């Protein structure tokens, strides 16, 4: 599957066997998931400016070098902080339960911002439930369902999930299969009748 994925990324033609692997293994879905993950990681580091360059074969080498330089600098910065006793605990009760951390925990709210940043802003925007159009192609359908679950601050049932989309036809019949696929890929966790994005 990953050999086919690499060929897909490079734009090479697929053989008949590779086309079969592409279809049976949902390699386009795998590519979409990897692309989303890469973009989310860059965004988490505040380096979204590299997303386009890393996807462009002509700029990829230079962008990869820039990324490596930034990672090395960030590692040195964090090492210096830790040497001073400043630890950035994300979940102190789990990561360091024996002792009170010296630094305030980093808490993330439903909008993806730290609670400290949110508290300093004038007002948090309300999270509106928007209904998105149901995509036509399977990879986009899988990506859309994953995005809705990841963005939801509360667990959703399949019925709730269906209300997040608009569309005509029998698209609702495909939704359980897409949820099952995301669960098999480890992107969705099912707890009874409700669904949440996996950590």
């Amino acid at each position: 599957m990953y050999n086919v994925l690499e060929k897909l990324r490079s734009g090479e033609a697929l053989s008949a066997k590779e086309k079969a692997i592409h279809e049976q293994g949902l390699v386009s879905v795998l590519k979409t998931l990897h692309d989303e993950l890469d973009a989310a990681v860059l965004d988490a580091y505040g380096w979204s400016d590299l997303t386009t360059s890393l996807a462009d074969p002509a700029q990829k080498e230079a962008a990869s070098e820039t990324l490596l330089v930034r990672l090395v600098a960030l590692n040195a910065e964090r090492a210096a902080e830790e040497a001073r006793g400043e630890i950035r605990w994300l979940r102190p009760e789990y990561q360091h339960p024996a002792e009170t951390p010296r630094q305030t925990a980093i808490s993330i709210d439903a909008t993806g911002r730290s609670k400290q940043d949110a508290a300093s802003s004038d007002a948090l925007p309300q999270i509106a439930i928007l209904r998105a159009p149901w995509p036509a192609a399977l990879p986009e359908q899988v990506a859309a369902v994953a995005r809705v679950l990841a963005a939801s601050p509360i667990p959703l049932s399949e019925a709730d999930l269906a209300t997040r989309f608009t569309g005509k036809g029998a698209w609702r019949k495909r939704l359980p299969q897409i949820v099952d696929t995301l669960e098999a890929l480890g992107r969705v966790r099912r707890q009874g009748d409700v669904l949440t994005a996996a950590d």
Side-chain angles (χ1 to χ4, degrees):
M1 284 174 59
Y2 278 91
N3 290 337
V4 173
L5 176 61
E6 285 308 308
K7 280 192 127 177
L8 197 62
R9 286 181 190 236
S10 68
E12 293 179 57
L14 301 179
S15 68
K17 181 180 178 183
E18 290 167 337
K19 285 179 183 177
I21 292 170
H22 177 269
E23 290 300 317
Q24 294 170 358
L26 299 174
V27 177
S28 290
V29 174
L30 182 65
K31 180 184 181 302
T32 299
L33 295 173
H34 274 287
D35 291 346
E36 285 180 7
L37 179 60
D38 291 346
V41 169
L42 287 171
D43 187 50
Y45 277 89
W47 299 338
S48 296
D49 59 307
L50 295 177
T51 304
T52 304
S53 301
L54 287 167
D56 181 356
Q59 301 179 45
K60 185 173 183 176
E61 188 174 341
S64 296
E65 183 68 26
T66 301
L67 180 61
L68 184 59
V69 167
R70 290 181 185 183
L71 283 170
V72 169
L74 181 61
N75 186 56
E77 183 183 331
R78 292 293 179 263
E81 286 177 358
E82 289 181 18
R84 294 191 303 267
E86 298 172 17
I87 310 297
R88 294 175 180 258
W89 302 109
L90 182 62
R91 295 169 58 199
E93 69 284 351
Y94 173 75
Q95 294 170 292
H96 196 57
E99 193 175 310
T100 303
R102 298 183 191 187
Q103 181 170 322
T104 305
I106 299 171
S107 300
I108 305 299
D109 68 12
T111 66
R113 298 188 299 166
S114 73
K115 288 185 180 172
Q116 292 85 349
D117 291 344
S120 66
S121 65
D122 295 333
L124 281 176
Q126 294 299 311
I127 299 173
I129 297 174
L130 301 175
R131 297 182 70 194
W134 184 252
L138 179 61
E140 288 80 18
Q141 293 167 4
V142 173
V145 170
R147 275 195 303 273
V148 166
L149 286 169
S152 177
I154 58 170
L156 300 174
S157 68
E158 282 188 19
D160 293 332
L161 186 57
T163 65
R164 300 316 200 257
F165 297 99
T166 61
K168 295 180 180 177
W171 63 269
R172 288 175 188 259
K173 291 180 180 176
R174 177 168 265 184
L175 189 57
Q177 182 183 13
I178 290 173
V179 170
D180 289 344
T181 301
L182 287 167
E183 186 179 13
L185 291 169
R187 293 283 305 268
V188 169
R189 184 178 298 116
R190 190 184 300 270
Q191 298 164 325
D193 294 332
V194 297
L195 308 164
T196 55
D199 295 332

